[in-house]
C-alpha cells in the first residue's frame, strides 16, 4: 500500500507520462476533488495546465474570490475565471 507521499509522486509521474509537453485544461469547481486533481496536474505539467473556474451564479458568498485567491494568487495557476453572464 502506498503512503500518501508515494501516492502523490506516483500520480504526478503518471500524469507527466500521459500528457508530456502538451497543454491540458481542467474545470475547477473549487471543491475538494477538482482542487486536488488540479494541484496534481499542475505539479506534473506546470503552466501547461489551464484551470477554468465558472461562476455559474450558485456559489456561496465570497467563493469566487476565495478560489481566485487560492489558485491564481497563491498557487500561481494559469487560471481563468468565466462568469455565467459572459457565456450566455
Amino acid at each position: 500500500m502506498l503512503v500518501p507521499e508515494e501516492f502523490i509522486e506516483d500520480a504526478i509521474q503518471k500524469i507527466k507520462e500521459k500528457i508530456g509537453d502538451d497543454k491540458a485544461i481542467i474545470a475547477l469547481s473549487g471543491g475538494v476533488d477538482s482542487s486536488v486533481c488540479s494541484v496534481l496536474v499542475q505539479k506534473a505539467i506546470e503552466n501547461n495546465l489551464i484551470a477554468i473556474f465558472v461562476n455559474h451564479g450558485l456559489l456561496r458568498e465570497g467563493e469566487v474570490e476565495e478560489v481566485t485567491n487560492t489558485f491564481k494568487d497563491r498557487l500561481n495557476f494559469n487560471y481563468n475565471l468565466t462568469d455565467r453572464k459572459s457565456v450566455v
Side-chain angles (χ1 to χ4, degrees):
M1 184 170 159
L2 295 174
V3 296
E5 294 83 12
E6 291 172 342
F7 171 81
I8 292 167
E9 290 304 318
D10 185 56
I12 291 169
Q13 186 59 39
K14 286 179 181 176
I15 294 165
K16 283 181 183 179
E17 291 170 5
K18 182 78 172 176
I19 298 174
D21 292 330
D22 291 338
K23 293 194 179 285
I25 61 171
I26 193 162
L28 182 60
S29 72
V32 173
D33 294 339
S34 70
S35 295
V36 170
C37 288
S38 295
V39 169
L40 289 173
V41 175
Q42 197 268 348
K43 284 184 179 286
I45 66 171
E46 300 175 357
N47 285 332
N48 283 338
L49 176 67
I50 301 167
I52 300 172
F53 180 65
V54 177
N55 178 3
H56 47 65
L58 301 173
L59 300 168
R60 290 170 279 201
E61 186 175 334
E63 193 165 8
V64 171
E65 295 79 13
E66 183 179 338
V67 171
T68 299
N69 180 53
T70 299
F71 287 92
K72 182 179 180 187
D73 300 334
R74 291 181 63 208
L75 297 176
N76 297 313
F77 266 54
N78 185 353
Y79 171 89
N80 294 278
L81 171 63
T82 301
D83 190 283
R84 66 179 163 72
K85 296 173 190 168
S86 66
V87 175
V88 178

